């Protein structure tokens, strides 16, 4: 897409009820669990999804991650991840607002 | 050529076969045909120990199955313990025995997901194949599962007698609100192997059904995710055995034997370890059974020097044994196997025109299991 719809930073993403998000020490990673399946998340994906608790807006998540990763150049990556996580059904948005 | 590592991975998936008791009698059941000889089921406390040891090894997905796991009155306690340990718990059930009371108790215990089996989209064939009158019950159970907010996988084993109903089976999954539909073509082990002549679909049937599934996928998108697994026999390359023997899966049988796959119990010369004699860590890491087909040291040619060995890891050991008599042979599904003709004989051989009529199905019953056991142990004259 040349001009993706801007992601609404005022809405609240959270892990969809079909999925369970947890830390797995044996894999040294966060994972998403779902019926008979699992996705092992890389560090960045894990740090984004652990903040998708329905209490932080997308804007607040991005601000928090800028601090965590000590970088101002992460906005586009986080937005792209949230978009694809939404397409995959991992994440849903409160107030019916989707990016 | 790079050698494959011999080391054990993390057993992410544990399947707990809680019992071989089952109210259904499906002629394609993956349980061993000699299940009648298994008498002594693990106790609640033994399962608690097994669950804790599996979790400590890194297991995270737990399949609670059987037989029918609801035949165990302690199922709710086992789910609660598994949940406490951090497992994602999958109940794999026929639905028989799942009433409002047990459903609520399972929810409170922390059950994550229910996989409900149907044998067909029609009452007549569902009830014929399971030798029960359970079709209407299964539909009521599906409503119950959704009313309690569980994600639901509908599972239907596919074979010659129902493969032409794939469209209606998908419609049924949509109607009952399943998130996933598993259309699993029969793999021919155990009971299904006894009934292979009646159950193996024709190539035409298979191709038609694949087109139907592709059409539905396009139309319905993500509303229902359809997993369609075709029978190995029509492939020219084998599948990995359970993602690799002893790499990801372990199955604990009702009597505590630990197996790398559901069907491994029938393999000769493999001394399956038991949780009653050793810890799961000893079994997973050190037992000869789990190490037997790790890596590539065991592989014969053409596997050993094959560039594709890292993909399929030599294929399925049970299929190799059933079709060649040698558990260490290249899976004959592979068209590089010197014994691939065994597979061609099966798929191109003569078929009964009216499968279940010319030759009756052997249903999975304790009586049939005992009879087969007696036949197998009869001394030769």
């Amino acid at each position: 897409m040349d001009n993706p719809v801007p992601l609404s930073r005022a809405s609240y993403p959270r892990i969809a009820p079909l999925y369970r998000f947890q830390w797995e020490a044996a894999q040294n990673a966060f994972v998403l669990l779902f019926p008979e399946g699992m996705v092992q998340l890389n560090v960045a994906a894990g740090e984004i999804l652990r903040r998708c608790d329905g209490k932080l807006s997308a804007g607040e998540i991005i601000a928090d991650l800028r601090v965590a990763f000590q970088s101002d150049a992460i906005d586009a990556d986080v937005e792209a991840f949230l978009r694809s996580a939404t397409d995959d059904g991992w994440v849903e948005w409160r107030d019916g607002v989707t990016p | 050529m790079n050698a494959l590592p011999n080391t054990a991975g993390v057993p992410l998936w544990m399947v707990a076969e809680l019992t071989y008791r089952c109210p259904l009698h499906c002629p394609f059941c993956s349980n061993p045909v000699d299940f009648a000889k298994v008498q002594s089921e693990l106790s609640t406390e033994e399962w608690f120990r097994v669950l804790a040891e599996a979790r400590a090894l890194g297991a995270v997905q737990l399949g609670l199955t059987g037989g029918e796991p609801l035949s165990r009155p302690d199922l709710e306690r086992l789910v609660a313990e598994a949940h406490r340990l951090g497992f994602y718990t999958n109940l794999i059930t026929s639905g028989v025995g799942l009433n409002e009371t047990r459903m609520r108790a399972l929810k409170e215990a922390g059950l994550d997901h229910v996989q409900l089996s149907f044998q067909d989209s029609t009452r007549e064939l569902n009830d014929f194949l399971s030798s029960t009158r359970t079709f209407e019950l299964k539909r009521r159970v599906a409503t119950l599962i959704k009313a309690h907010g569980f994600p639901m996988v509908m599972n239907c084993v596919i074979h010659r007698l129902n493969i032409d109903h794939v469209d209606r089976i998908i419609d049924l999954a949509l109607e009952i609100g399943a998130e996933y539909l598993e259309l699993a073509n029969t793999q021919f082990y155990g009971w299904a192997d006894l009934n292979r002549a009646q159950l193996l679909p024709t190539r035409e049937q298979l191709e038609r059904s694949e087109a139907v599934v592709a059409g539905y996928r396009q139309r319905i998108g993500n509303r229902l995710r359809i997993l369609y697994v075709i029978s190995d026999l029509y492939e020219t390359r084998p599948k990995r055995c359970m993602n690799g023997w002893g790499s990801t899966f372990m199955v604990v049988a009702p009597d505590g034997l630990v197996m790398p796959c559901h069907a491994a119990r029938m393999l000769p010369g493999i001394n399956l370890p038991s949780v009653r004699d050793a810890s799961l860590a000893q079994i997973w890491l050190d037992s000869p059974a789990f190490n037997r087909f790790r890596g590539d040291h065991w592989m014969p040619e053409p596997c050993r020097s094959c560039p594709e060995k890292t993909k399929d890891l030599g294929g399925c050991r049970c299929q190799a044994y059933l079709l060649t008599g040698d558990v260490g042979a290249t899976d004959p599904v592979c068209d590089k196997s010197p014994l691939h003709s065994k597979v061609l004989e099966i798929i191109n051989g003569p078929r009964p025109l009216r499968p279940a009529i010319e030759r009756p199905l052997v249903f999975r019953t304790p009586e049939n299991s005992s009879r087969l056991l007696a036949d197998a142990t009869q001394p030769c004259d």
Side-chain angles (χ1 to χ4, degrees):
Chain A
M1 272 187 295
D2 295 331
N3 293 304
V5 183
L7 182 141
S8 167
R9 296 207 179 183
S11 52
Y12 294 78
R14 64 167 189 194
I15 308 282
L18 186 60
Y19 294 88
R20 198 165 94 200
F21 175 80
Q22 71 185 32
W23 173 256
E24 278 299 299
Q27 301 173 57
N28 196 31
F30 284 105
V31 299
L32 268 185
L33 298 163
F34 51 96
E36 298 169 41
M38 182 187 76
V39 178
Q40 194 186 73
L41 300 160
N42 64 25
V43 174
E47 288 303 317
I48 298 170
L49 285 178
R50 73 187 290 191
R51 289 167 171 79
C52 293
D53 58 2
K55 294 179 191 131
L56 295 175
S57 69
E60 288 164 337
I61 289 173
I62 289 170
D64 198 27
L65 287 165
R66 279 188 194 159
V67 177
F69 285 93
Q70 301 185 323
S71 165
D72 289 334
I74 60 165
D75 295 28
D77 288 346
V78 176
E79 289 197 358
F81 176 80
L82 285 175
R83 215 181 291 281
S84 83
T86 306
D87 290 343
D88 288 336
W90 300 354
V91 164
E92 59 181 35
W93 298 72
R94 214 170 71 195
D95 302 323
V97 187
T98 50
Chain B
M1 191 60 52
N2 290 332
L4 293 166
N6 280 322
T7 50
V10 175
L12 298 173
W13 243 110
M14 181 166 95
V15 172
E17 292 182 334
L18 298 179
T19 178
Y20 285 141
R21 287 171 287 152
C22 189
L24 269 54
H25 308 296
C26 308
F28 40 74
C29 182
S30 65
N31 286 163
V33 291
D34 57 0
F35 72 83
K37 75 178 175 194
V38 175
Q39 298 296 338
S40 161
E41 289 181 5
L42 294 183
S43 67
T44 311
E45 285 66 32
E46 284 176 305
W47 275 116
F48 282 180
R49 174 172 69 79
V50 170
L51 291 173
E53 289 178 357
R55 189 70 187 121
L57 280 172
V60 61
Q61 283 282 357
L62 175 68
L64 295 158
T65 180
E68 172 49 64
L70 286 155
S71 308
R72 293 270 308 212
D74 58 354
L75 177 65
E76 290 82 348
R77 291 180 62 201
L78 296 174
V79 168
E81 177 64 5
H83 179 73
R84 190 185 69 77
L85 292 166
F87 277 106
Y88 187 94
T89 50
N90 306 271
L91 175 63
I92 299 163
T93 178
S94 68
V96 178
L98 198 48
N99 55 26
E100 173 69 32
T101 311
R102 292 199 82 179
M103 189 87 270
R104 193 176 310 126
L106 287 164
K107 185 83 188 176
E108 278 164 19
L111 182 67
D112 289 291
H113 146 244
V114 184
Q115 184 197 108
L116 177 65
S117 72
F118 279 81
Q119 283 67 47
D120 189 48
S121 55
T122 66
R123 179 193 302 118
E124 292 73 15
L125 191 52
N126 181 87
D127 291 0
F128 169 69
L129 289 168
S130 61
S131 272
T132 56
R133 293 170 66 94
T134 50
F135 184 72
E136 297 302 338
L137 174 145
K138 285 167 182 284
R139 293 187 55 114
R140 285 197 299 277
V141 166
T143 309
L144 198 58
I145 293 168
K146 293 317 290 180
H148 283 266
F150 286 105
M152 178 165 68
V153 173
M154 174 177 146
N155 172 285
C156 189
V157 174
I158 299 296
H159 44 75
R160 182 165 173 191
L161 303 175
N162 68 2
I163 194 168
D164 297 321
H165 300 172
V166 157
D167 51 349
R168 279 166 281 173
I169 294 168
I170 299 172
D171 288 338
L172 176 62
L174 288 165
E175 194 186 316
I176 65 176
E179 276 84 8
Y180 299 85
L181 171 63
E182 231 173 68
L183 295 170
N185 268 283
T186 309
Q187 303 286 353
F188 293 96
Y189 321 117
W191 295 86
D193 185 53
L194 291 176
N195 293 302
R196 192 179 66 204
Q198 300 96 309
L199 295 179
L200 183 67
T202 64
R203 191 181 289 278
E204 294 70 34
Q205 283 184 306
L206 203 64
E207 284 170 359
R208 254 198 325 268
S209 72
E210 285 181 300
V212 168
V213 170
Y216 266 89
R217 278 194 181 128
Q218 232 169 19
R219 268 207 309 288
I220 63 178
N222 273 350
R223 185 150 63 102
L224 172 72
R225 292 174 201 238
I226 305 175
L227 312 167
Y228 188 65
V229 186
I230 82 159
S231 170
D232 275 15
L233 294 177
Y234 284 104
E235 309 268 21
T236 51
R237 287 290 180 275
K239 290 196 197 60
R240 281 184 173 202
C241 154
M242 307 304 280
N243 197 43
W245 178 277
S247 80
T248 315
F249 282 86
M250 57 185 169
V251 182
V252 181
D255 56 349
L257 286 195
V258 190
M259 311 183 284
C261 83
H262 297 82
R265 202 172 186 122
M266 62 156 181
L267 296 174
I270 293 186
N271 193 9
L272 291 172
S274 167
V275 296
R276 284 177 165 152
D277 305 322
S279 73
L280 268 187
Q282 289 168 324
I283 290 170
W284 179 257
L285 298 170
D286 298 331
S287 70
F290 274 80
N291 282 300
R292 174 88 180 263
F293 300 113
R294 283 179 176 145
D296 55 11
H297 63 90
W298 63 273
M299 284 182 186
E301 291 296 351
C303 291
R304 188 184 282 269
S305 61
C306 178
E308 293 178 72
K309 71 177 173 184
T310 54
K311 259 195 261 172
D312 56 48
L313 308 177
C316 168
R317 295 302 88 223
C318 297
Q319 194 151 262
Y321 168 63
L322 283 173
L323 297 184
T324 74
D326 175 6
V327 62
T330 293
D331 187 335
V333 158
C334 185
D335 64 10
K336 296 183 184 180
S337 158
L339 296 170
H340 184 59
S341 59
K342 301 260 185 199
V343 172
L344 297 178
E345 278 164 31
I346 291 169
I347 61 177
N348 299 328
R351 303 289 184 80
L353 289 173
R354 296 176 302 161
I357 295 168
E358 284 169 39
R359 182 170 160 177
L361 291 162
V362 183
F363 287 93
R364 176 219 192 271
T365 63
E367 297 73 30
N368 279 339
S369 179
S370 298
R371 195 171 45 77
L372 289 159
L373 255 171
D375 291 351
T377 51
Q378 216 138 70
C380 298
D381 291 325

